[in-house]
Amino acid sequence: MLDLFPLVTTDIALFTLMEGQLRVLLVERANTPCVGAWALPGGVLRPDEDDSLEATAFRVLATKIMVQVPYLEQVITVSGAARDPRGWSISTLFCALLPPEEVPAVAGLKTSRICWANPIDHQLPLAFDHAVLINYALTSLRDKVRRKTLPLHLMPTTFTLTEVQQACEAILGRKLDKGTFRRQIRDNTSLVELPGEWRTGPQRPAQLYTRSGSFRFDA
Amino acid sequence: MLDLFPLVTTDIALFTLMEGQLRVLLVERANTPCVGAWALPGGVLRPDEDDSLEATAFRVLATKIMVQVPYLEQVITVSGAARDPRGWSISTLFCALLPPEEVPAVAGLKTSRICWANPIDHQLPLAFDHAVLINYALTSLRDKVRRKTLPLHLMPTTFTLTEVQQACEAILGRKLDKGTFRRQIRDNTSLVELPGEWRTGPQRPAQLYTRSGSFRFDA
DNA sequence: GCAATAGTGTCTATTAGACAATATGGG
DNA sequence: CCCATATTGTCTAATAGACACTATTGC
């Protein structure tokens, strides 16, 4: 059958921040092919229950990873006979952002071993062409941030401006200037100041913000 | 069969310039579904002969449209049960640029009626979701030009700087400032000056340029 | 000379980048 | 007070946008 019809799958690069570091979710493959290798979470399209490939990605995340993500975006579609030993295959890659509240749900997964890997310097043996896919997803994410879209879906519900800056720095892999950063986001309507709410500590308190209800990372 | 496996196709938004206007190729559908409607050129994936979906796009252009294009880039993959009456389908959309020398080959096609339509204001009845696909391709093309990548694959082998500017203006749909435009492309290594070659006419002659061998529109 | 377009220069407003200065909490 | 971080300000270089000016051809 796969000589006439390709295998159609979806893979998801699910990013989050852990201790200020950008991480991508890998799962250990329990089934053939590539048993024991690490891979991006993914699954086969089910035309009978999925409305679209994006729906496939949401279903995979909900059923296999047990998370609901606020942000999913298509990155690229890879294809060919060589990338999967089962034969001619297609995979549409999605990039997803996981808010920190959802991380424990993933960590508690009992069904398979998981790993939050550094997307730039991952040492694990990766299945299929997933090393390339991670690069595609990371490039796409960095381009968004370079175009001044704030990755607020990686933030908790309340956060400080310095924390947003640190998230951008983790994604871009370089330091940003504080004054320049704050100037650029000053008029960003995605950010809503929370009057009277402050992050305290052994220093001057910082104003807390939240995402505006209309914030979309893909805008 | 299509209840288990989706129909996998490729569509191509093939752009060219005609009399200074940006145009996209439409072909009149000869087969069901949507006989008689206008559509982007496209075709079904053949896993036995195509190395990738990009190869499918090149094959479709070579065999159905009889052209070889220097530039093909993936734009997006659309999917779902509603977009094609034959059932659950996937189409990966590519954007292609056709140099003016190749336009006559397309114009001379005897196999089906064709049309070079205005991609913004196309009045023809379009098959499937192809009106949406044209918008995706146009947005992708405009983004490239906004990021200062010159659409040199739309130019003849020799051209003037004013002609490149007019190509960019046709794509973006607005006038550009001559001084600003020339300042921005001054150090662009994609352009090679042709010493002693000039475009003449009833005014001051203009320096002719050509693409550098290493020019890639996707850079 | 005149029309038309090529090619260059100039001025201003905006912005990025680097860095300094000030503010305000906890201890 | 001191420390650490928040927040704001300042200076400079680079750039975009608008527009003017000069150059060179055919007629």
Side-chain angles (χ1 to χ4, degrees):
Chain A
M1 197 51 58
L2 287 178
D3 294 343
L4 281 171
F5 292 92
L7 176 68
V8 178
T9 65
T10 282
D11 291 304
I12 303 121
L14 180 64
F15 290 101
T16 197
L17 288 173
M18 299 182 73
E19 293 137 32
Q21 306 277 303
L22 185 67
R23 296 299 177 87
V24 64
L25 180 68
L26 298 178
V27 297
E28 195 180 35
R29 284 187 59 80
N31 305 317
T32 56
C34 304
V35 175
W38 293 86
L40 295 173
V44 178
L45 166 70
R46 293 193 188 149
D48 52 332
E49 54 180 300
D50 298 333
D51 283 343
S52 62
L53 286 166
E54 184 174 309
T56 307
F58 275 119
R59 175 176 55 76
V60 166
L61 288 175
T63 61
K64 295 193 182 178
I65 314 297
M66 307 296 287
V67 291
Q68 290 208 328
V69 293
Y71 176 71
L72 245 195
E73 184 173 283
Q74 189 179 313
V75 177
I76 199 169
T77 299
V78 292
S79 57
R83 54 177 302 279
D84 188 312
R86 286 168 286 187
W88 221 104
S89 68
I90 289 177
S91 177
T92 297
L93 172 67
F94 290 86
C95 174
L97 300 186
L98 190 70
E101 310 90 70
E102 300 268 358
V103 173
V106 181
L109 263 190
K110 291 288 178 288
T111 49
S112 58
R113 288 174 61 199
I114 63 126
C115 159
W116 287 104
N118 182 324
I120 298 128
D121 177 32
H122 40 82
Q123 307 284 353
L124 299 173
L126 292 181
F128 310 116
D129 50 2
H130 285 196
V132 176
L133 297 192
I134 292 172
N135 276 330
Y136 278 127
L138 181 59
T139 299
S140 156
L141 184 56
R142 285 179 166 173
D143 282 348
K144 277 260 165 58
V145 174
R146 254 185 239 116
R147 285 179 229 148
K148 324 278 188 215
T149 310
L150 298 177
L152 299 189
H153 290 310
L154 291 176
M155 310 303 295
T157 46
T158 70
F159 47 82
T160 67
L161 295 185
T162 300
E163 288 162 359
V164 179
Q165 181 179 342
Q166 287 164 347
C168 292
E169 290 172 343
I171 291 168
L172 297 175
R174 63 185 171 88
K175 287 286 177 189
L176 299 174
D177 180 80
K178 184 169 45 171
T180 306
F181 184 81
R182 293 169 102 98
R183 197 165 50 206
Q184 288 170 349
I185 69 176
R186 189 185 308 154
D187 300 323
N188 193 320
T189 55
S190 304
L191 293 173
V192 179
E193 190 175 324
L194 293 169
E197 299 197 38
W198 306 88
R199 163 109 348 127
T200 57
Q203 70 278 347
R204 175 172 173 178
Q207 177 69 57
L208 282 171
Y209 290 79
T210 193
R211 282 182 288 277
S212 89
S214 60
F215 169 70
R216 310 274 338 264
F217 183 57
D218 46 1
Chain B
M1 197 51 61
L2 286 178
D3 294 342
L4 281 170
F5 293 92
L7 176 69
V8 178
T9 65
T10 282
D11 291 305
I12 302 122
L14 180 64
F15 290 102
T16 198
L17 289 173
M18 300 182 72
E19 294 137 31
Q21 306 278 303
L22 184 67
R23 295 299 176 89
V24 64
L25 180 67
L26 298 179
V27 297
E28 195 180 34
R29 284 188 59 80
N31 304 318
T32 55
C34 304
V35 175
W38 294 86
L40 295 173
V44 178
L45 165 70
R46 294 193 189 149
D48 53 331
E49 54 180 299
D50 298 332
D51 283 343
S52 63
L53 286 166
E54 184 174 309
T56 307
F58 275 119
R59 175 176 57 74
V60 166
L61 288 176
T63 60
K64 294 192 181 179
I65 314 296
M66 307 295 288
V67 290
Q68 290 206 328
V69 293
Y71 176 71
L72 243 195
E73 184 173 285
Q74 189 179 313
V75 177
I76 199 169
T77 299
V78 291
S79 57
R83 54 177 302 279
D84 188 313
R86 287 167 287 186
W88 221 105
S89 69
I90 289 176
S91 176
T92 297
L93 172 67
F94 290 86
C95 174
L97 301 186
L98 190 70
E101 309 89 71
E102 300 268 359
V103 173
V106 181
L109 263 191
K110 291 288 179 286
T111 50
S112 57
R113 287 172 61 197
I114 62 125
C115 159
W116 287 103
N118 182 325
I120 299 128
D121 177 31
H122 41 80
Q123 306 284 353
L124 299 173
L126 292 182
F128 311 116
D129 50 2
H130 286 196
V132 177
L133 297 192
I134 291 171
N135 276 331
Y136 279 127
L138 180 60
T139 300
S140 157
L141 183 57
R142 285 179 166 174
D143 282 348
K144 278 261 165 58
V145 173
R146 254 184 240 116
R147 286 178 228 147
K148 324 276 186 216
T149 310
L150 298 176
L152 299 188
H153 290 310
L154 290 176
M155 311 302 296
T157 48
T158 70
F159 47 82
T160 67
L161 295 187
T162 300
E163 288 162 359
V164 179
Q165 180 179 340
Q166 287 165 345
C168 292
E169 290 172 342
I171 290 169
L172 296 176
R174 61 187 171 89
K175 287 287 179 187
L176 299 174
D177 180 79
K178 183 169 50 169
T180 306
F181 184 81
R182 293 167 103 97
R183 198 164 50 204
Q184 288 170 348
I185 68 176
R186 190 186 304 154
D187 300 323
N188 193 319
T189 55
S190 304
L191 293 172
V192 180
E193 190 175 324
L194 293 169
E197 299 197 38
W198 306 88
R199 163 104 355 124
T200 56
Q203 70 280 346
R204 175 172 173 177
Q207 177 68 58
L208 282 172
Y209 290 78
T210 193
R211 282 181 290 276
S212 87
S214 60
F215 168 70
R216 309 275 335 269
F217 183 57
D218 46 1

